[in-house]
Amino acid sequence: MTEAVIDVRDLVTTLGGNSIHRDLNLSVARGEVVALIGGSGSGKSVLLREIIGLLKPQAGRIELFGQSVLDSTPEQMNLLRQRFGVLFQDGALFSSMNVEDNVATPLFEHTDLPHATCRRLARLKLALAGLPPDAAKKRPSELSGGMRKRVALARALALDPELLFLDEPTSGLDPTSARAFDALIRLLADSLGLTVFLVTHDLDTLFSIIDRIIVLSDGRVLGSGTVAELKTIDDPWLRDYFAARVSKGEPPHGN
């Protein structure tokens, strides 16, 4: 049986008196590229932040690599975080640092390597993310939105993680840049053996690079599977969601 890298059981989340998750269960196997979708307010980004230990649910169990996130000490979580990388929706880059130092920051913080070595490794990660050498010394403000996303991805890869979390990775990108970013994610997942868990609303991402889709609705997992499998679910939001791609004149059937 394939190892579950992410395992969430009986999760209950209430924020501001509102029920967000109700006995939510999901798992992601090693090597999968999985997308999490759902309507506005369905708790997608909240769930991601709970899985990586930034938010605490009211009840339930979350495990990464078989280790409990909720029961871990700060020291244990620090070690666990070195096994996964995160790309937040806005990139969360440090505006006061150049690109090279942004990517090197996890290496500065979590390794004893000389800073010069950390910067050399950062330049390698930037190249892996498809950025030219001259980007290293620029500030984030000097880069396009697509290039900033790639810098954030390079930083998420800095510690050679086994697992990558992406929150709306193509948000704010033009269609060409978004598809190029999708292709890069798939290439990295396949070539580095990464497990990828991404929150998205981008239909083209789902049709192009995703192994499996998990749908959140009404605080729980409504369904899990390929596009074709999810289209068999009789749910108004899901029907409208996939109909949006057909309305653009694209084929009605996906993988």
Side-chain angles (χ1 to χ4, degrees):
M1 186 174 180
T2 307
E3 174 194 358
V5 173
I6 302 170
D7 195 38
V8 178
R9 295 293 151 202
D10 306 318
L11 196 73
V12 176
T13 308
T14 304
L15 294 175
N18 297 315
S19 177
I20 307 298
H21 304 134
R22 294 195 292 253
D23 296 321
L24 186 151
N25 295 276
L26 64 82
S27 64
V28 175
R30 183 173 292 278
E32 277 194 300
V33 177
V34 173
L36 184 70
I37 67 170
S40 178
S42 59
K44 302 182 297 296
S45 292
V46 170
L47 176 59
L48 187 151
R49 282 161 171 75
E50 289 173 332
I51 292 172
I52 64 177
L54 295 182
L55 287 175
K56 190 168 185 178
Q58 274 64 50
R61 178 171 61 84
I62 300 170
E63 290 187 357
L64 289 177
F65 308 106
Q67 179 178 325
S68 171
V69 170
L70 303 179
D71 297 328
S72 291
T73 65
E75 292 78 15
Q76 289 170 329
M77 272 310 300
N78 191 43
L79 290 172
L80 194 58
R81 286 194 177 104
Q82 294 179 47
R83 299 181 68 182
F84 65 80
V86 185
L87 190 159
F88 293 104
Q89 186 173 346
D90 59 1
L93 298 174
F94 302 115
S95 59
S96 60
M97 292 182 183
N98 66 26
V99 163
E100 183 178 281
D101 281 353
N102 261 281
V103 176
T105 295
L107 294 160
F108 294 156
E109 293 179 348
H110 296 292
T111 75
D112 296 322
L113 295 170
H115 277 207
T117 302
C118 292
R119 291 190 174 97
R120 281 198 296 274
L121 290 170
R123 291 194 292 274
L124 287 173
K125 300 301 179 184
L126 288 166
L128 194 63
L131 286 160
D134 64 356
K137 297 303 180 183
K138 293 181 178 180
R139 296 291 177 93
S141 60
E142 298 177 82
L143 303 178
S144 67
M147 291 180 78
R148 285 196 296 273
K149 291 274 190 181
R150 288 173 184 258
V151 174
L153 177 62
R155 188 174 63 183
L157 294 169
L159 295 172
D160 297 324
E162 303 163 61
L163 170 62
L164 196 58
F165 291 99
L166 310 174
D167 191 2
E168 298 283 6
T170 59
S171 174
L173 299 182
D174 64 81
T176 301
S177 297
R179 301 294 66 81
F181 197 83
D182 281 343
L184 174 63
I185 294 300
R186 187 74 239 190
L187 176 65
L188 291 172
D190 291 342
S191 58
L192 301 178
L194 294 171
T195 304
V196 180
F197 183 80
L198 64 92
V199 172
T200 189
H201 66 278
D202 191 331
L203 274 163
D204 290 318
T205 299
L206 303 184
F207 278 79
S208 59
I209 68 163
I210 300 302
D211 296 325
R212 183 165 61 94
I213 305 163
I214 297 173
V215 187
L216 289 191
S217 178
D218 197 27
R220 297 183 177 89
V221 171
L222 173 67
S224 170
T226 63
V227 171
E229 289 167 340
L230 293 179
K231 282 182 176 180
T232 66
I233 297 175
D234 185 18
D235 177 77
W237 180 85
L238 207 51
R239 277 200 309 272
D240 291 345
Y241 181 75
F242 287 124
R245 182 176 171 104
V246 178
S247 69
K248 292 193 298 181
E250 300 181 24
H253 299 292
N255 54 334

